[in-house]
């Protein structure tokens, strides 16, 4: 079955070797500790396994926007416009600072996602989504990374970039989700002890502040 799929993809746009090279490079890049990975793992530790997985899903879905933007050329506008880049950067930093304030303000409150709490699921998805979308560095990454694996002789360049983006999104969710899930396995230990729970929320707040400062100091 896989041979048939890869064979068809090769005739349409990619060679099998190129696709596997892309997957290998994507996995290595996803595993490099960055703001998104730290964010997912932090949510898992502070709020439980489900929180980590839903956050990872939101982060992965955010890449959909960047994939479409790169495919349509919109990322070029953001990365070449100092004003737009700054706007995105400030918006992302403000969002992170807001999360930091909430983590510090409610540091003694356990907020683990429970079964049936649909609202919390949406909140976690939205957190991950906004965290990813408001990071201009991700837009630059997709604009520079995806084109390196496009077969320009086969045409359909935007479609190729979308397909590569979807593969990257799946890998992001898989890796982030697994890491956040296993990190969330330790959350019960924190929640059983108020001081450890408070310490975890304080650490999360500090991390959010650090990520916000780092984002503010980035340049195209």
């Amino acid at each position: 079955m896989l041979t048939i799929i890869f064979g068809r993809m090769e005739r349409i746009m990619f060679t099998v070797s190129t696709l596997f090279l892309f997957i290998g490079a994507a996995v290595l890049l996803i595993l490099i500790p960055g703001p998104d990975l730290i964010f997912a793992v932090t949510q898992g530790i502070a709020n439980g396994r489900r929180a980590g997985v839903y956050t990872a899903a939101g982060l992965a879905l955010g890449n959909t926007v960047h994939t479409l933007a790169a495919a349509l050329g919109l990322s070029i506008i953001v990365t070449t416009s100092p004003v737009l880049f700054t706007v995105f950067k400030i918006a992302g930093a403000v969002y992170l600072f807001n999360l930091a304030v909430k983590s510090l303000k409610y540091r003694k409150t356990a907020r683990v996602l429970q079964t049936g709490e649909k609202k919390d699921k949406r909140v976690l998805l939205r957190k991950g989504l906004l965290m990813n979308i408001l990071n201009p560095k991700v837009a630059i990454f997709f604009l520079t990374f995806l084109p390196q694996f496009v077969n320009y002789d086969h045409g359909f360049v935007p479609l190729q970039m979308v397909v590569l983006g979807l593969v990257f999104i799946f890998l992001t969710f898989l890796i982030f989700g697994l890491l956040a899930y296993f990190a969330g396995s330790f959350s019960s230990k924190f929640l059983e002890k108020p001081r450890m729970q408070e310490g975890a929320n304080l650490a999360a707040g500090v991390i959010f502040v650090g990520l916000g400062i780092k984002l503010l100091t980035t340049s195209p």
Side-chain angles (χ1 to χ4, degrees):
M1 183 65 178
L2 289 176
T3 304
I4 296 174
I5 294 174
F6 286 138
R8 289 179 178 176
M9 290 186 69
E10 181 175 358
R11 288 196 298 271
I12 298 173
M13 51 185 74
F14 306 112
T15 62
V16 175
S17 58
T18 299
L19 188 60
F20 277 110
L21 180 62
F22 173 78
I23 292 174
V27 169
L28 291 176
L29 290 170
I30 293 170
L31 285 172
I32 296 175
D36 285 0
L37 178 56
I38 294 172
F39 186 63
V41 171
T42 300
Q43 288 295 309
I45 293 175
N47 296 316
R49 291 177 293 189
R50 290 191 179 187
V53 172
Y54 278 107
T55 302
L59 290 166
L61 287 173
N63 288 330
T64 304
V65 176
H66 294 295
T67 297
L68 293 175
L72 298 173
L74 297 178
S75 291
I76 297 177
I77 298 175
V78 175
T79 55
T80 56
S81 172
V83 175
L84 283 177
F85 186 87
T86 302
V87 169
F88 269 83
K89 187 167 62 173
I90 293 175
V94 168
Y95 180 70
L96 286 169
F97 292 148
N98 180 56
L99 292 179
V101 170
K102 288 183 178 179
S103 294
L104 297 175
K105 183 178 180 180
Y106 302 105
R107 61 186 179 276
K108 296 183 180 181
T109 304
R111 290 180 293 169
V112 180
L113 181 67
Q114 301 294 333
T115 302
E117 292 185 346
K118 296 181 179 180
K119 182 179 179 181
D120 281 356
K121 294 177 183 179
R122 292 195 296 268
V123 169
L124 291 167
L125 283 169
R126 187 171 66 248
K127 279 185 178 181
L129 187 69
L130 290 175
M131 168 74 180
N132 186 278
I133 292 175
L134 294 175
N135 189 347
K137 280 292 185 180
V138 180
I140 295 175
F141 167 76
F142 271 80
L143 188 63
T144 57
F145 181 65
L146 296 184
Q148 298 181 44
F149 299 89
V150 170
N151 188 330
Y152 293 93
D153 293 333
H154 285 190
F156 304 103
V157 172
L159 177 60
Q160 291 187 56
M161 293 181 69
V162 168
V163 172
L164 291 173
L166 290 175
V167 173
F168 191 91
I169 290 166
F170 171 76
L171 292 173
T172 299
F173 172 67
L174 181 64
I175 295 172
F176 281 11
L178 286 174
L179 292 176
Y181 181 86
F182 286 116
S185 299
F186 298 99
S187 66
S188 58
K189 297 180 181 179
F190 287 102
L191 296 173
E192 289 172 357
K193 300 179 180 180
R195 288 187 178 181
M196 296 186 72
Q197 172 195 308
E198 183 177 355
N201 286 328
L202 286 172
V206 172
I207 289 173
F208 292 147
V209 170
L211 293 176
I213 294 173
K214 181 179 180 182
L215 184 57
L216 283 175
T217 56
T218 58
S219 57

